[in-house]
Amino acid sequence: MKKMICIICPNGCELSLEEKNGERIVCGNKCPKGMDFAIKEITSPMRTLTTTVLTTFADFPLLSVKTSGEIPKDRVFDVMKALKSVRVTEKLKCYDIVVKNILDLGIDVIASQDIL
Amino acid sequence: MQIKNFDVLVIGGGPAGLAAAISAEKNNASVLLLEREERLGGILKQCIHDGFGVVRFGKKMAGCEYAQVFINELRQTPVVAEVLSFVTKIEKTSEGGFYVTYSSKDGIQKVTANAIVLSTGCRERTAKQVQIHGTRPSGVLTAGAAQYYTNILGYLPGKNCVILGSGDIGLIMARRLTLEGATVLGVYEAKSTPSGLRRNISQCLDDFDIPLYCSKTVTRAFGSSRLTGVEVCSVDEQMNPIEETKEYIPCDTLILSVGLIPENEIAEGLGVEIDKRTKGPITDNHQMTSVNGVFVCGNAWQVSDLADYVSLSGERAGKYAAFYGGKKEATVCVDYEGSFLYMVPQKVTIDTVCEPTAFYFRSNKEMDKSKFTLKIDQKEVYTKIYSSLRPPEMQKIEIDFSKYSITPSTKIAFTLSEVIK
């Protein structure tokens, strides 16, 4: 029996997952998303990553970014390392693509704010 | 020199103020929004992590992304938004309005307003207020300051960090610092249970194997120019340090996440009554304070867990500030009995309650199955059962008072108690 906290919404439901006769039974979720989360969490945990990248603008040195979708939890530090070399040179808007298909994961890194 | 008049003046351009300004303008008020920083967005500018907007927009957004929605919407309205503007004085006029002085990059400015919305947010508690003895080296910062360095300026505050306080800001910074290459040695929490949201304990600490130590606090800092270590100590139920458990932890950074205090100097200067429990102004269900024409919303009203609720309170304050015609509405005080840490609003208006009122509360302890009731003149008219309640998790509940006839002598009481099995 595995216990975990669902991270999808502020409720933070305490989930428990039990494997019985090849079937996975999830308890504790207040909504169906929790069940999907629990199963994913024990098979291939995923996370969204939010971080910053450097710009060339002296009055706006960092641009906040996020992954456009979830990436494998064990690749988070690889993505952090890959973003170290990025330099944003244009006044991007929220949701503009900063890095397309980061590390071939099928996910983009996008801006999460406007650069003024 | 002609002094401009606005129907509504909003002080503070974070999520609460942005929502208030947009809402007031929607309700036909002329609006001036004053923000003391260089950019709008308030604290959300540095909240690059996600989890915002789940309630309001149905998706997980970064804090700055959430603020951007409101900033963009505000730009489409005729609201006058001035940055680098700091309110220095507010005086009541004989006509029942307000005469406001503020400092801006163009010098001292004066305006008049019929109503004021205070969306001044909150500030962090510091080391002084949690009695950390020893020397005063650099390397001791509040979590918000550390977040500002990391996310706005691009400086890593330190390499080996100890975090005091398991509130959400501390947990978020534990993850952020780790992602940027620092080592977080541990998060220490003086209470016996963690303060932050459960999902943050999971995705900020468990994900990175960062240990959480409860019933422990930091009692001393060491180092001359830079922090070299801290002394941690177990505490008893009254949170007094237990001498024999002292332990030295070498580190170069101490991050303090020990609470937020609503910023209400302007409110106090206007004579607004403050609730000792929330540290914010007492309000009725229109977000109006004890001073006619002064409204409050956001973290200055009560420290919220969710920006979504902050926006709701801002919308409400903006709307009623726009409606405000100078008259004081009759209100009834709301009593709350039982295991409440606090509940807001503390008053309900009598004649204009024609829409559901949102109440927010926190339990004063960890509770299992609990019963929440509304009593009108001692009669139980509404009941809700919660499976569990924790003080860090603010609850929102909507009550439609139009079903009950409220008079100035009606007794309105909420009760909260654990259900005994």
Side-chain angles (χ1 to χ4, degrees), chain B residues 55 306 308-309 312 343 357-362 372 382 384 386 393-399:
Chain B
V55 173
L306 302 184
D308 314 60
Y309 292 162
L312 280 177
M343 187 152 182
T357 296
F359 285 87
Y360 301 88
F361 72 86
R362 292 183 192 272
F372 171 95
Y382 176 92
K384 185 175 162 116
Y386 290 92
E393 283 155 14
M394 192 168 91
Q395 302 299 323
K396 174 175 178 255
I397 197 148
E398 284 207 356
I399 305 285

PDB file of all heavy atoms in Angstrom, chain B residues 55 306 308-309 312 343 357-362 372 382 384 386 393-399:
ATOM      1  N   VAL B  55      -8.805  27.416  -8.773  1.00  0.00           N
ATOM      2  CA  VAL B  55     -10.211  27.655  -8.432  1.00  0.00           C
ATOM      3  C   VAL B  55     -10.859  28.591  -9.455  1.00  0.00           C
ATOM      4  O   VAL B  55     -11.948  28.332  -9.952  1.00  0.00           O
ATOM      5  CB  VAL B  55     -10.331  28.261  -7.006  1.00  0.00           C
ATOM      6  CG1 VAL B  55     -11.763  28.663  -6.707  1.00  0.00           C
ATOM      7  CG2 VAL B  55      -9.839  27.263  -5.971  1.00  0.00           C
ATOM      8  N   LEU B 306      -4.884  31.359  -1.040  1.00  0.00           N
ATOM      9  CA  LEU B 306      -5.081  31.322  -2.494  1.00  0.00           C
ATOM     10  C   LEU B 306      -5.265  32.705  -3.093  1.00  0.00           C
ATOM     11  O   LEU B 306      -6.079  33.497  -2.629  1.00  0.00           O
ATOM     12  CB  LEU B 306      -6.325  30.497  -2.839  1.00  0.00           C
ATOM     13  CG  LEU B 306      -6.377  29.052  -2.382  1.00  0.00           C
ATOM     14  CD1 LEU B 306      -7.642  28.386  -2.896  1.00  0.00           C
ATOM     15  CD2 LEU B 306      -5.165  28.275  -2.870  1.00  0.00           C
ATOM     16  N   ASP B 308      -6.729  33.183  -5.742  1.00  0.00           N
ATOM     17  CA  ASP B 308      -8.093  33.181  -6.273  1.00  0.00           C
ATOM     18  C   ASP B 308      -9.053  33.857  -5.293  1.00  0.00           C
ATOM     19  O   ASP B 308      -9.941  34.611  -5.683  1.00  0.00           O
ATOM     20  CB  ASP B 308      -8.584  31.745  -6.532  1.00  0.00           C
ATOM     21  CG  ASP B 308      -7.551  30.893  -7.256  1.00  0.00           C
ATOM     22  OD1 ASP B 308      -6.447  30.722  -6.689  1.00  0.00           O
ATOM     23  OD2 ASP B 308      -7.835  30.400  -8.347  1.00  0.00           O
ATOM     24  N   TYR B 309      -8.878  33.590  -4.005  1.00  0.00           N
ATOM     25  CA  TYR B 309      -9.745  34.203  -2.984  1.00  0.00           C
ATOM     26  C   TYR B 309      -9.412  35.682  -2.828  1.00  0.00           C
ATOM     27  O   TYR B 309     -10.279  36.511  -2.580  1.00  0.00           O
ATOM     28  CB  TYR B 309      -9.594  33.495  -1.639  1.00  0.00           C
ATOM     29  CG  TYR B 309     -10.123  32.064  -1.618  1.00  0.00           C
ATOM     30  CD1 TYR B 309      -9.735  31.180  -0.613  1.00  0.00           C
ATOM     31  CD2 TYR B 309     -11.017  31.601  -2.583  1.00  0.00           C
ATOM     32  CE1 TYR B 309     -10.220  29.884  -0.571  1.00  0.00           C
ATOM     33  CE2 TYR B 309     -11.498  30.292  -2.555  1.00  0.00           C
ATOM     34  CZ  TYR B 309     -11.095  29.439  -1.535  1.00  0.00           C
ATOM     35  OH  TYR B 309     -11.563  28.153  -1.492  1.00  0.00           O
ATOM     36  N   LEU B 312     -11.241  37.481  -5.461  1.00  0.00           N
ATOM     37  CA  LEU B 312     -12.668  37.578  -5.134  1.00  0.00           C
ATOM     38  C   LEU B 312     -12.932  38.716  -4.162  1.00  0.00           C
ATOM     39  O   LEU B 312     -13.869  39.483  -4.318  1.00  0.00           O
ATOM     40  CB  LEU B 312     -13.165  36.275  -4.495  1.00  0.00           C
ATOM     41  CG  LEU B 312     -13.483  35.118  -5.439  1.00  0.00           C
ATOM     42  CD1 LEU B 312     -13.894  33.899  -4.633  1.00  0.00           C
ATOM     43  CD2 LEU B 312     -14.571  35.504  -6.424  1.00  0.00           C
ATOM     44  N   MET B 343     -12.730  34.087  11.756  1.00  0.00           N
ATOM     45  CA  MET B 343     -13.677  34.011  10.640  1.00  0.00           C
ATOM     46  C   MET B 343     -13.941  35.431  10.150  1.00  0.00           C
ATOM     47  O   MET B 343     -14.013  36.362  10.946  1.00  0.00           O
ATOM     48  CB  MET B 343     -14.986  33.375  11.106  1.00  0.00           C
ATOM     49  CG  MET B 343     -15.938  33.115   9.971  1.00  0.00           C
ATOM     50  SD  MET B 343     -16.988  31.725  10.396  1.00  0.00           S
ATOM     51  CE  MET B 343     -17.952  31.588   8.918  1.00  0.00           C
ATOM     52  N   THR B 357     -23.040  35.564   0.492  1.00  0.00           N
ATOM     53  CA  THR B 357     -21.851  36.160   1.099  1.00  0.00           C
ATOM     54  C   THR B 357     -20.816  35.085   1.304  1.00  0.00           C
ATOM     55  O   THR B 357     -21.123  34.006   1.805  1.00  0.00           O
ATOM     56  CB  THR B 357     -22.229  36.760   2.471  1.00  0.00           C
ATOM     57  OG1 THR B 357     -23.160  37.808   2.259  1.00  0.00           O
ATOM     58  CG2 THR B 357     -21.007  37.330   3.180  1.00  0.00           C
ATOM     59  N   ALA B 358     -19.594  35.365   0.907  1.00  0.00           N
ATOM     60  CA  ALA B 358     -18.516  34.410   1.109  1.00  0.00           C
ATOM     61  C   ALA B 358     -17.874  34.662   2.466  1.00  0.00           C
ATOM     62  O   ALA B 358     -17.452  35.775   2.753  1.00  0.00           O
ATOM     63  CB  ALA B 358     -17.466  34.561   0.013  1.00  0.00           C
ATOM     64  N   PHE B 359     -17.835  33.632   3.289  1.00  0.00           N
ATOM     65  CA  PHE B 359     -17.138  33.694   4.571  1.00  0.00           C
ATOM     66  C   PHE B 359     -15.881  32.843   4.455  1.00  0.00           C
ATOM     67  O   PHE B 359     -15.867  31.842   3.742  1.00  0.00           O
ATOM     68  CB  PHE B 359     -18.021  33.137   5.699  1.00  0.00           C
ATOM     69  CG  PHE B 359     -19.118  34.063   6.122  1.00  0.00           C
ATOM     70  CD1 PHE B 359     -20.341  34.048   5.468  1.00  0.00           C
ATOM     71  CD2 PHE B 359     -18.923  34.959   7.164  1.00  0.00           C
ATOM     72  CE1 PHE B 359     -21.360  34.912   5.856  1.00  0.00           C
ATOM     73  CE2 PHE B 359     -19.939  35.827   7.553  1.00  0.00           C
ATOM     74  CZ  PHE B 359     -21.157  35.812   6.897  1.00  0.00           C
ATOM     75  N   TYR B 360     -14.853  33.248   5.168  1.00  0.00           N
ATOM     76  CA  TYR B 360     -13.612  32.479   5.178  1.00  0.00           C
ATOM     77  C   TYR B 360     -13.248  32.223   6.635  1.00  0.00           C
ATOM     78  O   TYR B 360     -13.405  33.100   7.485  1.00  0.00           O
ATOM     79  CB  TYR B 360     -12.474  33.267   4.511  1.00  0.00           C
ATOM     80  CG  TYR B 360     -12.750  33.642   3.078  1.00  0.00           C
ATOM     81  CD1 TYR B 360     -13.419  34.822   2.768  1.00  0.00           C
ATOM     82  CD2 TYR B 360     -12.338  32.822   2.029  1.00  0.00           C
ATOM     83  CE1 TYR B 360     -13.673  35.181   1.456  1.00  0.00           C
ATOM     84  CE2 TYR B 360     -12.590  33.179   0.706  1.00  0.00           C
ATOM     85  CZ  TYR B 360     -13.265  34.350   0.429  1.00  0.00           C
ATOM     86  OH  TYR B 360     -13.516  34.708  -0.884  1.00  0.00           O
ATOM     87  N   PHE B 361     -12.763  31.019   6.915  1.00  0.00           N
ATOM     88  CA  PHE B 361     -12.342  30.758   8.296  1.00  0.00           C
ATOM     89  C   PHE B 361     -11.185  29.778   8.337  1.00  0.00           C
ATOM     90  O   PHE B 361     -10.883  29.104   7.340  1.00  0.00           O
ATOM     91  CB  PHE B 361     -13.520  30.240   9.142  1.00  0.00           C
ATOM     92  CG  PHE B 361     -13.958  28.823   8.836  1.00  0.00           C
ATOM     93  CD1 PHE B 361     -13.341  27.736   9.453  1.00  0.00           C
ATOM     94  CD2 PHE B 361     -14.991  28.585   7.946  1.00  0.00           C
ATOM     95  CE1 PHE B 361     -13.754  26.434   9.180  1.00  0.00           C
ATOM     96  CE2 PHE B 361     -15.414  27.288   7.670  1.00  0.00           C
ATOM     97  CZ  PHE B 361     -14.790  26.205   8.282  1.00  0.00           C
ATOM     98  N   ARG B 362     -10.542  29.733   9.486  1.00  0.00           N
ATOM     99  CA  ARG B 362      -9.522  28.726   9.756  1.00  0.00           C
ATOM    100  C   ARG B 362      -9.852  28.092  11.096  1.00  0.00           C
ATOM    101  O   ARG B 362     -10.293  28.789  12.020  1.00  0.00           O
ATOM    102  CB  ARG B 362      -8.131  29.357   9.863  1.00  0.00           C
ATOM    103  CG  ARG B 362      -7.586  29.909   8.561  1.00  0.00           C
ATOM    104  CD  ARG B 362      -6.174  30.444   8.766  1.00  0.00           C
ATOM    105  NE  ARG B 362      -5.736  31.230   7.628  1.00  0.00           N
ATOM    106  CZ  ARG B 362      -5.135  30.725   6.561  1.00  0.00           C
ATOM    107  NH1 ARG B 362      -4.891  29.432   6.483  1.00  0.00           N
ATOM    108  NH2 ARG B 362      -4.777  31.504   5.562  1.00  0.00           N
ATOM    109  N   PHE B 372     -19.891  22.195  11.169  1.00  0.00           N
ATOM    110  CA  PHE B 372     -19.966  23.641  11.064  1.00  0.00           C
ATOM    111  C   PHE B 372     -21.439  24.001  10.937  1.00  0.00           C
ATOM    112  O   PHE B 372     -22.161  23.411  10.146  1.00  0.00           O
ATOM    113  CB  PHE B 372     -19.189  24.062   9.808  1.00  0.00           C
ATOM    114  CG  PHE B 372     -19.339  25.510   9.422  1.00  0.00           C
ATOM    115  CD1 PHE B 372     -18.404  26.450   9.834  1.00  0.00           C
ATOM    116  CD2 PHE B 372     -20.403  25.923   8.628  1.00  0.00           C
ATOM    117  CE1 PHE B 372     -18.533  27.789   9.460  1.00  0.00           C
ATOM    118  CE2 PHE B 372     -20.537  27.257   8.251  1.00  0.00           C
ATOM    119  CZ  PHE B 372     -19.604  28.186   8.668  1.00  0.00           C
ATOM    120  N   TYR B 382     -28.284  25.943   9.031  1.00  0.00           N
ATOM    121  CA  TYR B 382     -27.372  25.427   8.014  1.00  0.00           C
ATOM    122  C   TYR B 382     -26.315  24.590   8.699  1.00  0.00           C
ATOM    123  O   TYR B 382     -25.812  24.960   9.755  1.00  0.00           O
ATOM    124  CB  TYR B 382     -26.720  26.600   7.279  1.00  0.00           C
ATOM    125  CG  TYR B 382     -25.678  26.218   6.264  1.00  0.00           C
ATOM    126  CD1 TYR B 382     -25.992  26.018   4.933  1.00  0.00           C
ATOM    127  CD2 TYR B 382     -24.337  26.063   6.650  1.00  0.00           C
ATOM    128  CE1 TYR B 382     -25.024  25.667   4.001  1.00  0.00           C
ATOM    129  CE2 TYR B 382     -23.363  25.717   5.746  1.00  0.00           C
ATOM    130  CZ  TYR B 382     -23.717  25.518   4.416  1.00  0.00           C
ATOM    131  OH  TYR B 382     -22.753  25.176   3.502  1.00  0.00           O
ATOM    132  N   LYS B 384     -22.760  21.975   7.826  1.00  0.00           N
ATOM    133  CA  LYS B 384     -21.833  21.365   6.879  1.00  0.00           C
ATOM    134  C   LYS B 384     -20.870  20.492   7.668  1.00  0.00           C
ATOM    135  O   LYS B 384     -20.391  20.879   8.722  1.00  0.00           O
ATOM    136  CB  LYS B 384     -21.069  22.442   6.107  1.00  0.00           C
ATOM    137  CG  LYS B 384     -20.178  21.853   5.016  1.00  0.00           C
ATOM    138  CD  LYS B 384     -19.532  22.927   4.181  1.00  0.00           C
ATOM    139  CE  LYS B 384     -18.342  22.342   3.420  1.00  0.00           C
ATOM    140  NZ  LYS B 384     -18.475  22.356   1.992  1.00  0.00           N
ATOM    141  N   TYR B 386     -17.232  18.621   7.695  1.00  0.00           N
ATOM    142  CA  TYR B 386     -15.907  18.547   7.084  1.00  0.00           C
ATOM    143  C   TYR B 386     -15.255  17.246   7.525  1.00  0.00           C
ATOM    144  O   TYR B 386     -15.342  16.870   8.686  1.00  0.00           O
ATOM    145  CB  TYR B 386     -15.047  19.730   7.549  1.00  0.00           C
ATOM    146  CG  TYR B 386     -15.482  21.063   6.988  1.00  0.00           C
ATOM    147  CD1 TYR B 386     -16.375  21.876   7.687  1.00  0.00           C
ATOM    148  CD2 TYR B 386     -15.006  21.503   5.756  1.00  0.00           C
ATOM    149  CE1 TYR B 386     -16.776  23.098   7.170  1.00  0.00           C
ATOM    150  CE2 TYR B 386     -15.405  22.728   5.230  1.00  0.00           C
ATOM    151  CZ  TYR B 386     -16.295  23.516   5.943  1.00  0.00           C
ATOM    152  OH  TYR B 386     -16.690  24.718   5.421  1.00  0.00           O
ATOM    153  N   GLU B 393      -5.118  25.457   6.273  1.00  0.00           N
ATOM    154  CA  GLU B 393      -5.995  25.359   5.114  1.00  0.00           C
ATOM    155  C   GLU B 393      -7.272  26.162   5.318  1.00  0.00           C
ATOM    156  O   GLU B 393      -8.207  25.729   5.974  1.00  0.00           O
ATOM    157  CB  GLU B 393      -6.250  23.887   4.770  1.00  0.00           C
ATOM    158  CG  GLU B 393      -5.029  23.294   4.065  1.00  0.00           C
ATOM    159  CD  GLU B 393      -4.871  21.788   4.196  1.00  0.00           C
ATOM    160  OE1 GLU B 393      -5.824  21.133   4.616  1.00  0.00           O
ATOM    161  OE2 GLU B 393      -3.774  21.289   3.873  1.00  0.00           O
ATOM    162  N   MET B 394      -7.293  27.345   4.717  1.00  0.00           N
ATOM    163  CA  MET B 394      -8.416  28.264   4.854  1.00  0.00           C
ATOM    164  C   MET B 394      -9.637  27.689   4.152  1.00  0.00           C
ATOM    165  O   MET B 394      -9.524  27.140   3.070  1.00  0.00           O
ATOM    166  CB  MET B 394      -8.022  29.587   4.199  1.00  0.00           C
ATOM    167  CG  MET B 394      -8.931  30.725   4.492  1.00  0.00           C
ATOM    168  SD  MET B 394      -8.164  32.262   3.961  1.00  0.00           S
ATOM    169  CE  MET B 394      -8.775  32.362   2.322  1.00  0.00           C
ATOM    170  N   GLN B 395     -10.793  27.836   4.769  1.00  0.00           N
ATOM    171  CA  GLN B 395     -12.031  27.327   4.193  1.00  0.00           C
ATOM    172  C   GLN B 395     -12.909  28.473   3.725  1.00  0.00           C
ATOM    173  O   GLN B 395     -12.940  29.529   4.365  1.00  0.00           O
ATOM    174  CB  GLN B 395     -12.805  26.510   5.251  1.00  0.00           C
ATOM    175  CG  GLN B 395     -12.042  25.337   5.821  1.00  0.00           C
ATOM    176  CD  GLN B 395     -11.669  24.309   4.778  1.00  0.00           C
ATOM    177  OE1 GLN B 395     -12.433  24.050   3.858  1.00  0.00           O
ATOM    178  NE2 GLN B 395     -10.492  23.734   4.917  1.00  0.00           N
ATOM    179  N   LYS B 396     -13.602  28.253   2.627  1.00  0.00           N
ATOM    180  CA  LYS B 396     -14.528  29.264   2.116  1.00  0.00           C
ATOM    181  C   LYS B 396     -15.918  28.665   2.127  1.00  0.00           C
ATOM    182  O   LYS B 396     -16.100  27.503   1.741  1.00  0.00           O
ATOM    183  CB  LYS B 396     -14.142  29.634   0.687  1.00  0.00           C
ATOM    184  CG  LYS B 396     -15.123  30.567  -0.015  1.00  0.00           C
ATOM    185  CD  LYS B 396     -14.597  30.969  -1.385  1.00  0.00           C
ATOM    186  CE  LYS B 396     -15.583  31.842  -2.102  1.00  0.00           C
ATOM    187  NZ  LYS B 396     -16.306  31.142  -3.166  1.00  0.00           N
ATOM    188  N   ILE B 397     -16.878  29.442   2.579  1.00  0.00           N
ATOM    189  CA  ILE B 397     -18.248  28.944   2.599  1.00  0.00           C
ATOM    190  C   ILE B 397     -19.189  30.074   2.208  1.00  0.00           C
ATOM    191  O   ILE B 397     -19.015  31.201   2.646  1.00  0.00           O
ATOM    192  CB  ILE B 397     -18.555  28.346   3.995  1.00  0.00           C
ATOM    193  CG1 ILE B 397     -19.787  27.472   3.929  1.00  0.00           C
ATOM    194  CG2 ILE B 397     -18.664  29.386   5.063  1.00  0.00           C
ATOM    195  CD1 ILE B 397     -19.693  26.336   4.922  1.00  0.00           C
ATOM    196  N   GLU B 398     -20.152  29.774   1.316  1.00  0.00           N
ATOM    197  CA  GLU B 398     -21.083  30.811   0.857  1.00  0.00           C
ATOM    198  C   GLU B 398     -22.414  30.654   1.553  1.00  0.00           C
ATOM    199  O   GLU B 398     -22.996  29.568   1.560  1.00  0.00           O
ATOM    200  CB  GLU B 398     -21.272  30.715  -0.659  1.00  0.00           C
ATOM    201  CG  GLU B 398     -20.086  31.268  -1.403  1.00  0.00           C
ATOM    202  CD  GLU B 398     -20.404  31.798  -2.789  1.00  0.00           C
ATOM    203  OE1 GLU B 398     -21.562  31.663  -3.228  1.00  0.00           O
ATOM    204  OE2 GLU B 398     -19.476  32.322  -3.420  1.00  0.00           O
ATOM    205  N   ILE B 399     -22.896  31.762   2.122  1.00  0.00           N
ATOM    206  CA  ILE B 399     -24.185  31.732   2.815  1.00  0.00           C
ATOM    207  C   ILE B 399     -25.116  32.724   2.122  1.00  0.00           C
ATOM    208  O   ILE B 399     -24.724  33.869   1.855  1.00  0.00           O
ATOM    209  CB  ILE B 399     -24.025  32.149   4.302  1.00  0.00           C
ATOM    210  CG1 ILE B 399     -22.980  31.288   5.011  1.00  0.00           C
ATOM    211  CG2 ILE B 399     -25.375  32.127   5.009  1.00  0.00           C
ATOM    212  CD1 ILE B 399     -23.407  29.893   5.366  1.00  0.00           C
TER     213      ILE B 399
END
